[in-house]
Amino acid sequence: MNDQHSGEPYDVLIVGYGPVGATLANLLTQQGLSVAILEREASVYHLARAGHLDAEVMRILQSIGVAGEVEAKSGITLGMRFLDADGAPLMEWKRGGAKGPLGWVSDYMFHQPELERILRARLGQSPRATAFLLHDVYAIEQAAEHVVVKAEDTASGRLVQLRGRYVVGCDGARSLARRTIGAEHEDLGFKQRWLVVDVEQRRDL
């Protein structure tokens, strides 16, 4: 085992560098805390997954300092129209495009890879944050005064370990962090079938 950091532990270790992990890291470093993020992928995942955020999320992004940039790359949701197989309207849900009491529009559609790039770029400006890409976490262990996160640096094949006062799992549905603390994953039984289509915009819509 190679302990990459034998000095003081980080204040917080974050497992997972998606939008939740990147947002949390930005918020923590703004409070003066030292943060290390461990992510098994080499870069931002290239396909869109999450696609909607609301005014409360924009307030969080505003506190980080990236809300304006995110808004500029997002679309405002003006509503939805649901049609049946014959094209007849079933239901129409309309939204206004004006900013509400939180200072932002109620609904935005965004491209997740772009959001992640913005959050990571912002975090890269902080000397309190270190990102360990291509680090696949395989164990989380509680010690007397800190927590040890063990990972494989898949670029070199070395085993490394980082120490932190706290660990936060932002590592998705198959979370190792959740399994480590024994928290259950609740299936709400959503069984509807969906078709997701990724498209490339070729003209201004």
Side-chain angles (χ1 to χ4, degrees):
M1 179 68 66
N2 176 30
D3 188 345
Q4 263 189 319
H5 295 271
S6 56
E8 287 296 313
Y10 290 93
D11 291 312
V12 181
L13 301 176
I14 298 174
V15 182
Y17 202 10
V20 175
T23 298
L24 177 62
N26 274 288
L27 293 171
L28 292 174
T29 56
Q30 285 184 336
Q31 300 303 313
L33 300 176
S34 62
V35 176
I37 310 102
L38 298 101
E39 168 60 48
R40 62 182 159 194
E41 302 297 335
S43 61
V44 170
Y45 187 70
H46 64 288
L47 294 179
R49 289 170 289 186
H52 171 267
L53 55 84
D54 61 16
E56 290 184 276
V57 175
M58 289 299 284
R59 286 291 294 269
I60 296 171
L61 297 177
Q62 180 180 12
S63 70
I64 295 172
V66 299
E69 187 176 359
V70 171
E71 184 181 44
K73 295 181 179 295
S74 301
I76 295 172
T77 304
L78 298 178
M80 296 183 182
R81 182 181 296 120
F82 295 86
L83 308 176
D84 65 17
D86 297 322
L90 292 170
M91 179 181 71
E92 188 169 9
W93 170 56
K94 293 183 177 180
R95 289 283 196 182
K99 294 189 175 181
L102 294 179
W104 299 95
V105 176
S106 60
D107 295 272
Y108 294 89
M109 298 302 293
F110 69 95
H111 185 236
Q112 181 174 330
E114 191 64 46
L115 172 65
E116 291 188 36
R117 280 189 283 268
I118 292 171
L119 290 169
R120 291 187 185 194
R122 184 69 174 184
L123 189 63
Q125 300 173 16
S126 173
R128 300 185 182 93
T130 306
F132 294 91
L133 302 178
L134 290 172
H135 278 61
D136 191 8
V137 175
Y138 64 87
I140 301 172
E141 299 177 355
Q142 179 71 56
E145 301 293 333
H146 56 269
V147 182
V148 176
V149 172
K150 298 180 179 181
E152 178 186 0
D153 178 350
T154 57
S156 66
R158 292 188 307 145
L159 300 181
V160 301
Q161 60 184 29
L162 301 177
R163 297 186 300 151
R165 292 183 172 87
Y166 297 91
V167 174
V168 180
C170 300
D171 46 342
R174 295 182 295 276
S175 170
L176 173 65
R178 185 183 66 247
R179 294 199 306 271
T180 299
I181 66 174
E184 294 184 359
H185 181 241
E186 183 179 1
D187 183 355
L188 298 179
F190 187 79
K191 302 301 182 184
Q192 285 82 352
R193 297 177 65 186
W194 286 82
L195 173 65
V196 178
V197 180
D198 293 317
V199 299
E200 181 179 352
Q201 180 177 320
R202 297 190 175 183
R203 61 182 175 84
D204 187 6
L205 299 177

